[in-house]
Amino acid sequence: DTGVSQNPRHKITKRGQNVTFRCDPISEHNRLYWYRQTLGQGPEFLTYFQNEAQLEKSRLLSDRFSAERPKGSFSTLEIQRTEQGDSAMYLCASSDRGTNYGYTFGSGTRLTVV
Amino acid sequence: DQQVKQNSPSLSVQEGRISILNCDYTNSMFDYFLWYKKYPAEGPTFLISISSIKDKNEDGRFTVFLNKSAKHLSLHIVPSQPGDSAVYFCAEETSGSRLTFGEGTQLTVNP
């Protein structure tokens, strides 16, 4: 297993378009997280799955954002009607233990909304 | 409202010397603090964590100190190496599943 994989690495889209990102976690990890990072800031929590259940969502996750993890394996994050403020690095992470043991992050998907 | 603050955006040290990265937090309700390292074009990598019931945790060249009365933690890297040059984030476990990160400190270790 080569770690957490995120696709695409980069995405440029026009304002108002919909985009979808994919995350493939480490195969034995049942926990999956999405974070967003903007320039000069640390990652900000978006949402958390344990297996296929979405257990926690941040207030940052507006109604234009939706995340799924069908069958508890890969996950997708969709942004509808993108806005320029959505431009950021979207990071996925997975773990098989508690948060205090640390997550394994992917390399992220950089979204640019023009 | 920011719960975790890293007030130094950058730090430069000489190879072989000690690097000290600092972090302050506001909410003392939670159990764990963590440090991550991030290289350009990569995701953050977990370094070390500390439970709030301890005041020190050590792993090789990395030691994290927790001062609960001051709501302050620090990461010491001894000796610093050029490969340690990266952005370092401190984070607080603010629920059973989420981390709240600081803004990060860019460490540069000069040969």
Side-chain angles (χ1 to χ4, degrees), chain B residues 47-96:
Chain B
L47 265 180
I48 190 169
S49 65
I50 186 167
S51 165
S52 59
I53 62 172
K54 295 186 173 182
D55 53 18
K56 178 182 174 181
N57 189 26
E58 202 169 344
D59 183 2
R61 297 186 297 113
F62 301 90
T63 303
V64 56
F65 295 91
L66 178 61
N67 182 334
K68 289 182 282 295
S69 61
K71 297 186 179 179
H72 178 85
L73 71 157
S74 60
L75 175 69
H76 293 209
I77 306 173
V78 182
S80 301
Q81 300 172 353
D84 296 329
S85 297
V87 178
Y88 288 78
F89 293 99
C90 68
E92 181 180 27
E93 182 190 30
T94 48
S95 75

Side-chain angles (χ1 to χ4, degrees), chain A:
Chain A
D1 196 344
T2 56
V4 178
S5 176
Q6 291 189 247
N7 289 289
R9 291 295 305 271
H10 304 275
K11 178 72 176 178
I12 300 174
T13 191
K14 290 185 178 178
R15 190 171 50 189
Q17 298 293 304
N18 299 343
V19 294
T20 300
F21 311 138
R22 178 179 170 123
C23 172
D24 288 274
I26 293 172
S27 56
E28 61 268 26
H29 286 183
N30 61 346
R31 302 170 189 228
L32 187 146
Y33 312 83
W34 284 98
Y35 281 75
R36 181 177 72 181
Q37 185 178 14
T38 53
L39 199 62
Q41 299 297 315
E44 295 174 291
F45 174 83
L46 292 177
T47 190
Y48 158 61
F49 290 85
Q50 185 155 331
N51 300 310
E52 66 274 13
Q54 188 174 20
L55 297 185
E56 194 169 347
K57 288 169 60 173
S58 163
R59 56 183 166 81
L60 292 175
L61 215 66
S62 75
D63 56 4
R64 296 186 298 107
F65 288 69
S66 62
E68 293 184 343
R69 193 184 182 196
K71 303 178 184 176
S73 55
F74 71 92
S75 176
T76 58
L77 178 68
E78 181 183 15
I79 309 174
Q80 296 182 328
R81 306 181 303 281
T82 52
E83 302 172 355
Q84 285 190 318
D86 297 331
S87 295
M89 175 73 80
Y90 289 84
L91 293 161
C92 176
S94 69
S95 72
D96 60 352
R97 298 187 288 178
T99 303
N100 51 292
Y101 292 96
Y103 312 149
T104 301
F105 278 92
S107 297
T109 294
R110 178 162 298 284
L111 173 66
T112 302
V113 181
V114 298

